[in-house]
């Protein structure tokens, strides 16, 4: 079905579709947020990838997942978000059904691979800090590349059911071809639990164990050698912890809305349209935050950012 054609029901919430046009100031605000997101996403994540390949101190096994996470964020910045921006400018989808399906698929690809990469980063940090003696055997260069490949294989497998439940559809409220929460209540519950709450639980466990070890080490007057945590390791951990917290904060509202509507479809009529839209664009905005966090909290990234930008501007 062509996404430009009117529908009887809203594809995401199950209630009557809003056919009224959004006020100009709403369209301008959404467009501004998305433009900022696209620019910072592309520039920031390219800086992250180049920094890791240029700086020997950043070429560590754990940062392979950081590169993978940056690629996941770039996927939507180069294709999906520009199409959403076009839909905002035209106040509707004008790119046809094929682009709608591809856009929705890449959106899901980015989101799922992001949470899987964040989970892998947490497990990596947990092994490095809490099981330091075994870390080099678990995260060899070859093994790490295999883990990264596994993250993407699992991501693609997680997206396969979308093609059987016809869940990638255009949602007028967010000007996006995205996962339709009303396509299947059972599938929506599975998606939220398996692709959000389960990974968040694993990450929370890993970081809690790390925090407990950090507290334990700091309270000891003479800590054991194998429990010693170097300052730069602690800073790296704090950086990735902030990345996790921001991801959880940005994506939690949308996932809670999806879970609530799936459990009780009647709630869809009581969810304000502005809240649904705000939750979506807050989730979109998350894709540009990671590179900023690396630059703010990690000295090596910040230093490399400056070198790359100075070289770029000097060249031009």
């Amino acid at each position: 079905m062509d996404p430009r054609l009117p529908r009887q029901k809203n594809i995401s919430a199950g209630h009557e579709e809003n056919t009224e046009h959004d006020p100009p100031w709403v369209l301008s605000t959404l467009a501004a947020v998305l433009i900022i997101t696209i620019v910072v996403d592309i520039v920031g994540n390219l800086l992250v990838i180049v920094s890791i390949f240029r700086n020997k101190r950043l070429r560590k096994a754990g940062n392979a997942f950081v590169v993978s996470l940056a690629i996941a964020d770039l996927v939507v910045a180069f294709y999906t978000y520009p199409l959403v921006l076009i839909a905002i400018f035209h106040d509707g989808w004008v790119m046809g059904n094929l682009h709608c399906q591809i856009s929705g698929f890449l959106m899901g690809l980015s989101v799922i691979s992001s949470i899987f990469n964040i989970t892998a980063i947490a497990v990596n940090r947990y092994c490095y800090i809490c099981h330091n003696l075994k870390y080099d055997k678990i995260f060899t260069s070859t093994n790490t590349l295999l883990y990264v490949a596994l993250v993407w294989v699992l991501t693609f497998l997680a997206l396969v059911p979308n093609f059987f439940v016809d869940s990638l559809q255009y949602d007028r409220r967010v000007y996006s071809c995205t996962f339709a929460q009303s396509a299947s209540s059972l599938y929506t519950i599975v998606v939220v639990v398996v692709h959000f709450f389960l990974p968040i639980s694993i990450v929370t466990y890993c970081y809690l164990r790390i925090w407990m070890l950090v507290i334990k080490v700091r309270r000891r007057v003479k800590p054991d050698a194998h429990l010693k945590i170097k300052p730069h390791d602690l800073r790296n951990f704090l950086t990735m912890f902030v990345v996790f917290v921001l991801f959880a904060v940005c994506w939690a509202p949308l996932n809670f809305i999806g879970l609530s509507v799936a459990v009780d479809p009647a709630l869809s009529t009581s969810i304000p349209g502005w809240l649904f839209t705000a939750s979506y664009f807050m989730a979109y905005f998350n894709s540009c935050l990671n590179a900023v966090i690396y630059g703010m909290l990690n000295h090596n990234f910040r230093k490399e950012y400056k070198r790359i930008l100075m070289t770029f501007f000097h060249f031009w």
Side-chain angles (χ1 to χ4, degrees):
M1 180 180 294
D2 193 321
R4 292 173 293 181
L5 298 178
R7 295 175 177 272
Q8 292 296 319
K9 298 291 184 179
N10 185 288
I11 57 178
S12 294
H15 53 71
E16 292 295 328
E17 182 176 337
N18 178 19
T19 57
E20 297 181 0
H21 295 284
D22 288 325
W25 70 269
V26 172
L27 296 176
S28 299
T29 301
L30 296 180
V33 170
L34 204 54
I35 290 172
I36 293 172
T37 301
I38 292 171
V39 173
V40 178
D41 188 334
I42 293 176
V43 175
N45 284 297
L46 286 178
L47 282 173
V48 169
I49 295 173
V50 175
S51 296
I52 291 174
F53 281 100
R54 278 172 53 101
N55 193 316
K56 292 183 179 180
R57 293 183 178 180
L58 293 174
R59 288 202 297 269
K60 300 177 180 179
N63 281 344
F65 300 108
V66 173
V67 172
S68 182
L69 179 60
I71 292 173
D73 288 332
L74 285 171
V75 167
V76 286
F78 278 120
Y79 188 88
T80 302
Y81 291 169
L83 294 187
V84 176
L85 194 59
I86 292 173
I88 292 174
F89 288 148
H90 288 85
D91 200 13
W93 191 265
V94 295
M95 298 300 294
N97 189 55
L98 178 60
H99 284 292
C100 181
Q101 293 298 306
I102 296 174
S103 176
F105 177 82
L106 292 180
M107 177 69 74
L109 184 76
S110 175
V111 175
I112 296 174
S113 61
S114 292
I115 186 61
F116 285 177
N117 277 299
I118 288 174
T119 304
I121 290 171
V123 173
N124 175 270
R125 293 297 85 196
Y126 168 72
C127 292
Y128 182 79
I129 294 177
C130 297
H131 299 282
N132 188 264
L133 298 179
K134 300 178 181 179
Y135 179 81
D136 290 334
K137 294 181 179 179
I138 299 175
F139 285 93
T140 63
S141 298
T142 301
N143 287 349
T144 302
L145 292 177
L146 290 175
Y147 299 149
V148 172
L150 179 61
V151 165
W152 285 95
V153 169
L154 292 176
T155 298
F156 277 98
L157 291 176
L159 289 169
V160 171
N162 283 288
F163 297 103
F164 295 96
V165 296
D166 190 28
S167 59
L168 300 179
Q169 302 173 5
Y170 177 68
D171 192 320
R172 168 67 178 77
R173 295 169 298 170
V174 291
Y175 302 93
S176 308
C177 285
T178 184
F179 174 72
Q181 297 170 347
S182 62
S184 170
S185 296
L186 177 60
Y187 182 53
T188 299
I189 294 173
V190 172
V191 167
V192 174
V193 172
V194 176
H195 299 160
F196 185 76
F197 286 111
L198 179 59
I200 290 296
S201 299
I202 295 173
V203 176
T204 301
Y205 170 81
C206 291
Y207 285 149
L208 280 177
R209 290 295 302 272
I210 293 174
W211 276 116
M212 290 171 63
L213 181 61
V214 169
I215 294 173
K216 181 179 180 181
V217 169
R218 291 202 163 190
R219 285 182 175 178
R220 288 192 175 192
V221 178
K222 295 181 180 180
D224 297 334
H226 71 281
L227 288 180
K228 187 175 181 179
I229 300 176
K230 299 178 181 178
H232 71 271
D233 292 332
L234 182 59
R235 287 195 297 270
N236 290 339
F237 156 66
L238 291 174
T239 300
M240 301 318 302
F241 178 74
V242 172
V243 168
F244 156 66
V245 170
L246 288 177
F247 182 90
V249 169
C250 288
W251 281 95
L254 184 59
N255 280 278
F256 277 113
I257 289 174
L259 185 61
S260 300
V261 172
V263 173
D264 185 5
L267 290 176
S268 61
T269 57
S270 61
I271 297 175
W274 65 266
L275 179 60
F276 184 81
T277 302
S279 67
Y280 247 95
F281 278 80
M282 185 167 70
Y284 289 173
F285 189 68
N286 176 255
S287 64
C288 74
L289 294 179
N290 295 341
V292 177
I293 297 304
Y294 302 149
M296 291 176 59
L297 301 181
N298 189 299
H299 173 72
N300 289 323
F301 272 109
R302 184 165 59 253
K303 187 176 180 180
E304 201 60 41
Y305 285 2
K306 292 179 181 179
R307 288 178 179 175
I308 295 171
L309 292 175
M310 288 179 65
T311 301
F312 177 80
F313 287 115
H314 177 73
F315 177 79
W316 285 98

